[in-house]
Amino acid sequence: MTSRSTGMYRILIPIDNDTSAPALAPLAAALLGNRHGEIVLVGSVTVPPERNVSEGASEAQARRQTLVNLKARYADLPLRVKPRIRVGHTPWRAITTVATSEAIDLMLVAWNGDPVARLMGVPLEVVLAETPCDIALARGAHWRAARRILLPMRGGPYADLALTFALALAETDQGTVTVLHADPPGDVDSTAGAFLPVLKHLPRSRQIHAQGDVAESIARAAAAHDAIVMGASARVGETGPKPLGPLAARVARSTTIDLIMVKSPTAYVPAEDETEYHDRALSILTDQWFAENTFDADEFADLSRLVSIKRERGLTISLGLPALDEEETVGKVIRTLQRGLMDKVPLLDEIMLIDSGSADRTREIARRLGVPIYVHQEILPEHGAHRGKGEALWKSLHVLKGDLIAWIDTDIVNIHPRFVYGVLGPLLQHDTIQYVKGFYRRPIRVGDKLQAGGGGRVTELVTRPLFNLFFPELSGLVQPLSGEYAGRRSALERVPFFTGYGVETGLLIDLLNEFGLGAIAQVDLQERIHHNQSLSALSKMSFAILQVIFRRLEDRHKLRLLEEVNRSMKLIRHEPGRYYLDIEEIGDVERPPIITLPEYVAARQQATKVATTA
């Protein structure tokens, strides 16, 4: 086997189920032998064609944990885990893309031994034809104990590859290789005999010769061995790839011991490359995104692991707490996060309160707890000040120092560190993710009772229907308006911020346009209890969100959809004995990407200089 990569031999193991995974890592280590190289693990989930791809989300979460467990179980092996799980009706297409981009030399695939099996959503013959590198189909789970290796050899095109694999397996545990040279009645294949002089000089090897039905000869010899290694055969015809050759198929059916079928790549190219998102229907794209980019906060509960990743990558993390008159809850929020994410583990480098002019004790409580406080109207005063949470978030980018920035609302009654580490986890573990939204169950208070599932009214009545109509890529977000999210500074500084209610909607649309759907993720934060807003307040929120969506539609289609008069909303008021109309100006100002401000650029350059000299 000649390495396709420079100086390193790479073996890729696609993990599509949890039962065969533990056996493949030690087998890969044996095949790697003494080479300088690594074993790359990539998880996949095959969703049956009759089911929606989004239904693979929970299985994708389980597969991520499987990869983490394998990495821990075989800490002595050179394992590298690809964090993104490939989900789809045919995830095989994505696996071949990984094999090409990673310059993989060998793909090791778990196989049940069925010659007409489907692997990762495609028939076996397609796998054999499309693999862009050497491939080994592995049946069985006892490779650690496989010391007696049977090597049927008739000089086929993959004989050299099979010989190399057999010797590598035997070398691991000082096993033996038995070369079986079987000829059909009346036929002598002299090609296979060319290997016999070489084998005579190899330790722990022997040769046997059989005359008669080849498959039956192999099956008889297999009874005295632990594993079989042999070349597969898949021929390419005018109509595409052909299934496993008849001899290999008969051996697979007639034996039960561990079996490896090996094959070198062919030139077959599928008619359609299903790995390209732009060639898929938007609904399939969204379903696949939902399955692959939906996480659970419990996946990131090992905080020491997150801290290790943070240190390895040299990242700093800031938490901004936007607040306006939250004296009832802000103290508990700060204390919980200080204890859980700064005192117990140093996940956060700073917590900062971004106040919007509270008239209660919010700032006093935060100051007593040692948290730096900024009033957003006083940040970048030369650029003026506007009301609204979005304004506070945009200006907080100027004072927060971290490479990763998280924001959570300060009215959370059931605060828990998972509201923060949950949204940070995907950013730390996945380099391609730029922005993470939290979602949760939102009970609504009715009188003295909490009614499950009653929250998120603006989402369900306004934002989700409009996303489905005009931005269907975002239709898989469970709670696009949630107040818990995190992002990379390098992404957040390059998009505009709306100053009020429309900030979450605008960020999602603009990050989608700037970085693509794959850069956005969402995390289940379980349950969030907070102070619910009145119907009148939700009406104003909806009005502002509608304006943001229409503005982005104007940008996309170069049309004028809104006139200035549309910024005024007539609100129905009621007093004892009368109704009347009140007019309120409701409209977000669009702040430019903060990286376009000279003051911000200068501050970041100074921060970089200080960090470099520290």
Side-chain angles (χ1 to χ4, degrees):
M1 294 182 288
T2 302
S3 174
R4 299 166 63 242
S5 55
T6 303
M8 177 175 286
Y9 190 86
R10 291 186 173 91
I11 299 178
L12 176 68
I13 305 179
I15 305 294
D16 198 54
N17 63 73
D18 298 332
T19 56
S20 60
L24 293 179
L27 174 57
L31 298 177
L32 187 61
N34 295 323
R35 296 182 186 85
H36 171 60
E38 64 178 352
I39 302 165
V40 181
L41 304 179
V42 57
S44 68
V45 173
T46 303
V47 180
E50 66 274 11
R51 290 170 50 199
N52 190 290
V53 172
S54 65
E55 295 181 43
S58 58
E59 193 172 347
Q61 293 173 12
R63 190 75 71 250
R64 280 193 289 270
Q65 189 59 49
T66 296
L67 296 181
V68 170
N69 293 342
L70 281 173
K71 176 77 172 174
R73 178 174 178 178
Y74 298 111
D76 57 325
L77 299 182
L79 296 180
R80 177 164 61 89
V81 173
K82 297 284 288 183
R84 178 187 167 197
I85 304 297
R86 272 63 181 181
V87 183
H89 296 309
T90 55
W92 169 252
R93 309 295 189 200
I95 298 299
T96 58
T97 299
V98 174
T100 300
S101 63
E102 290 278 344
I104 296 298
D105 299 287
L106 168 67
M107 191 184 301
L108 180 59
V109 180
W111 175 47
N112 64 4
D114 183 357
V116 293
R118 293 183 68 86
L119 300 178
M120 289 164 279
V122 299
L124 175 60
E125 60 264 28
V126 174
V127 171
L128 291 170
E130 292 184 4
T131 306
C133 57
D134 292 340
I135 183 172
L137 301 174
R139 178 188 72 184
H142 306 94
W143 296 104
R144 282 184 176 270
R147 300 188 62 191
R148 298 169 298 171
I149 313 300
L150 179 64
L151 177 64
M153 186 169 289
R154 285 182 47 78
Y158 315 124
D160 190 28
L161 190 62
L163 171 63
T164 304
F165 279 21
L167 294 176
L169 283 178
E171 183 67 24
T172 302
D173 289 312
Q174 296 187 337
T176 61
V177 175
T178 299
V179 179
L180 171 62
H181 181 50
D183 289 324
D187 180 27
V188 177
D189 187 345
S190 60
T191 308
F195 289 93
L196 299 183
V198 177
L199 290 167
K200 288 179 181 179
H201 300 285
L202 294 173
R204 298 183 300 278
S205 66
R206 66 191 184 101
Q207 300 87 38
I208 58 176
H209 189 279
Q211 189 80 25
D213 184 89
V214 175
E216 291 180 3
S217 298
I218 295 173
R220 284 194 300 269
H225 292 81
D226 303 313
I228 302 172
V229 179
M230 63 183 294
S233 57
R235 297 176 297 275
V236 180
E238 294 180 358
T239 58
K242 298 297 183 182
L244 216 62
L247 174 61
R250 286 186 63 195
V251 171
R253 289 192 176 104
S254 62
T255 61
T256 57
I257 65 172
D258 289 359
L259 170 66
I260 290 182
M261 293 280 185
V262 300
K263 181 181 174 295
S264 298
T266 62
Y268 174 73
V269 177
E272 180 182 3
D273 182 5
E274 296 183 45
T275 65
E276 295 297 326
Y277 282 161
H278 61 267
D279 290 336
R280 302 181 184 206
L282 274 177
S283 61
I284 297 177
L285 167 66
T286 305
D287 294 341
Q288 184 171 14
W289 172 85
F290 185 92
E292 295 182 353
N293 283 35
T294 299
F295 300 84
D296 190 287
D298 287 345
E299 296 183 56
F300 313 109
D302 185 350
L303 301 185
S304 60
R305 182 163 169 260
L306 294 185
V307 172
S308 295
I309 297 173
K310 169 192 165 184
R311 287 172 174 166
E312 288 172 6
R313 300 186 178 179
L315 296 172
T316 54
I317 303 178
S318 297
L319 172 63
L321 300 176
L324 176 62
D325 297 330
E326 300 293 355
E327 65 178 8
E328 293 183 14
T329 51
V330 69
K332 183 180 178 182
V333 169
I334 292 173
R335 286 191 300 270
T336 300
L337 300 178
Q338 283 177 328
R339 287 195 301 263
L341 302 178
M342 296 185 85
D343 299 338
K344 291 184 178 180
V345 294
L347 183 64
L348 295 179
D349 295 290
E350 66 174 349
I351 298 177
M352 188 178 294
L353 186 81
I354 310 298
D355 189 70
S356 293
S358 295
D360 64 1
R361 298 172 54 248
T362 296
R363 292 198 298 274
E364 177 186 339
I365 294 170
R367 187 176 296 108
R368 194 169 61 242
L369 292 171
V371 170
I373 300 166
Y374 284 86
V375 177
H376 90 245
Q377 290 88 344
E378 299 172 1
I379 302 172
L380 295 170
E382 61 272 35
H383 293 277
H386 298 279
R387 297 175 56 188
K389 177 184 175 181
E391 175 84 346
L393 299 183
W394 180 71
K395 287 192 169 184
S396 74
L397 288 173
H398 186 61
V399 293
L400 293 168
K401 303 177 183 67
D403 303 304
L404 304 183
I405 295 173
W407 292 295
I408 70 167
D409 288 339
T410 49
D411 65 344
I412 304 174
V413 175
N414 62 325
I415 185 64
H416 186 279
R418 69 172 174 273
F419 284 93
V420 177
Y421 69 67
V423 294
L424 289 171
L427 294 170
L428 287 166
Q429 293 192 7
H430 301 260
D431 291 338
T432 58
I433 292 176
Q434 305 294 320
Y435 184 66
V436 181
K437 291 285 294 187
F439 69 90
Y440 27 68
R441 294 172 295 282
R442 295 178 61 178
I444 186 172
R445 185 170 294 279
V446 180
D448 296 331
K449 296 181 179 180
L450 286 176
Q451 177 180 315
R457 289 163 288 175
V458 175
T459 290
E460 298 304 326
L461 298 176
V462 178
T463 311
R464 188 180 309 288
L466 288 172
F467 273 179
N468 275 273
L469 281 171
F470 302 118
F471 301 97
E473 304 97 318
L474 299 173
S475 60
L477 283 152
V478 179
Q479 283 169 339
L481 304 183
S482 70
E484 287 64 50
Y485 36 90
R488 299 186 192 280
R489 175 182 295 276
S490 56
L492 296 169
E493 66 186 7
R494 296 182 181 278
V495 292
F497 278 59
F498 286 92
T499 57
Y501 290 124
V503 62
E504 286 88 8
T505 303
L507 281 174
L508 283 170
I509 295 173
D510 292 333
L511 287 164
L512 170 70
N513 292 335
E514 184 74 19
F515 299 101
L517 183 59
I520 301 171
Q522 60 183 352
V523 177
D524 186 352
L525 301 177
Q526 299 176 19
E527 182 176 85
R528 183 190 195 277
I529 301 174
H530 64 123
H531 303 304
N532 301 109
Q533 297 197 54
S534 67
L535 195 59
S536 175
L538 296 180
S539 179
K540 291 188 284 185
M541 180 187 298
S542 301
F543 190 65
I545 290 170
L546 285 167
Q547 291 182 45
V548 169
I549 290 177
F550 282 124
R551 192 174 303 180
R552 287 297 175 256
L553 289 174
E554 289 178 343
D555 294 340
R556 174 188 288 183
H557 300 291
K558 308 304 178 185
L559 298 172
R560 185 67 174 171
L561 300 175
L562 295 178
E563 299 295 337
E564 289 305 316
V565 68
N566 297 124
R567 315 297 182 188
S568 299
M569 183 177 184
K570 290 183 173 64
L571 301 170
I572 298 175
R573 306 295 190 189
H574 175 254
E575 292 179 354
R578 74 180 186 118
Y579 287 92
Y580 65 96
L581 293 179
D582 190 14
I583 298 178
E584 187 170 336
E585 292 292 323
I586 301 172
D588 286 7
V589 174
E590 183 177 344
R591 287 295 199 175
I594 200 167
I595 200 171
T596 62
L597 272 58
E599 299 89 343
Y600 174 82
V601 174
R604 294 307 303 162
Q605 289 174 344
Q606 180 63 28
T608 302
K609 183 178 179 180
V610 171
T612 303
T613 57

